[in-house]
Amino acid sequence: MSPKSAPFDELDRKIVTALMANARTSFAVIGEAVGLSATAVKRRVDRMRETGVVTGFTATVKPDALGWRTEAYVEVYCEGAAPPRRLAEVVRNHPEITAAMTVTGGADALLHVRARDVDHFEEVLERIRTEPFIRKTISYMVLSHLLPESPEAGASQPAPAPAE
């Protein structure tokens, strides 16, 4: 069963929201909150894992607690058409790149980079630029997070769901 064909109802959405807020919450506590037994919650979570809706459980850590005090976004411009597969190989070789995606517009890719300090960021940028198919980069240093509760800011809780 693919994630698109998997049934996903309001109870599933509530369970996922609870897990995103704290993946260590017991199925019994989640069940109390959504009106199901712990066993029923477990069955639903197992189904969502099997269908790819839930892809894993993780801990969120404040980046500065790990010594990553500098943050930037880097636009990457390639010579010719660099396939996304090749870009993915490159970014996997840099542990400082915490997210990477191909994008529309002038740039070919956008990288989210975390580093110890500006010198470390410059070293990471130089490593990225040594790739033969990368023509240029444009960097944007993060000064502050306007949504400090967002995962990008290193929040321990996900941002609240938008109002419906």
Side-chain angles (χ1 to χ4, degrees):
M1 180 185 271
S2 74
K4 291 183 181 187
S5 65
F8 192 82
D9 61 18
E10 190 56 32
L11 285 173
D12 290 335
R13 194 170 313 284
K14 288 177 180 178
I15 291 168
V16 167
T17 299
L19 290 172
M20 289 173 61
N22 182 354
R24 294 184 60 163
T25 304
S26 72
F27 293 149
V29 169
I30 294 172
E32 278 182 41
V34 302
L36 294 174
S37 69
T39 305
V41 171
K42 181 185 181 320
R43 274 195 306 268
R44 283 175 175 258
V45 171
D46 288 346
R47 177 182 40 80
M48 288 186 280
R49 289 187 71 190
E50 289 169 10
T51 60
V53 172
V54 174
T55 59
F57 301 92
T58 186
T60 304
V61 179
K62 293 250 182 231
D64 62 348
L66 301 175
W68 303 105
R69 300 192 194 303
T70 299
E71 178 180 10
Y73 287 87
V74 179
E75 291 180 351
V76 175
Y77 297 79
C78 300
E79 289 291 344
R85 204 171 37 252
R86 178 68 181 114
L87 284 166
E89 289 172 14
V90 169
V91 299
R92 282 190 186 103
N93 291 329
H94 303 281
E96 299 90 350
I97 299 174
T98 61
M101 58 285 302
T102 56
V103 293
T104 61
D108 293 292
L110 183 66
L111 311 178
H112 183 204
V113 178
R114 292 201 185 259
R116 290 184 305 274
D117 52 34
V118 174
D119 289 339
H120 182 207
F121 172 72
E122 184 177 24
E123 183 260 316
V124 172
L125 195 56
E126 289 306 315
R127 278 192 276 130
I128 293 167
R129 289 177 177 161
T130 63
E131 293 297 329
F133 63 88
I134 294 181
R135 181 172 47 90
K136 76 174 186 175
T137 61
I138 298 176
S139 304
Y140 302 91
M141 299 296 291
V142 174
L143 300 177
S144 63
H145 284 271
L146 301 177
L147 300 172
E149 68 281 358
S150 71
E152 291 80 9
S156 59
Q157 301 284 323
E164 293 184 35

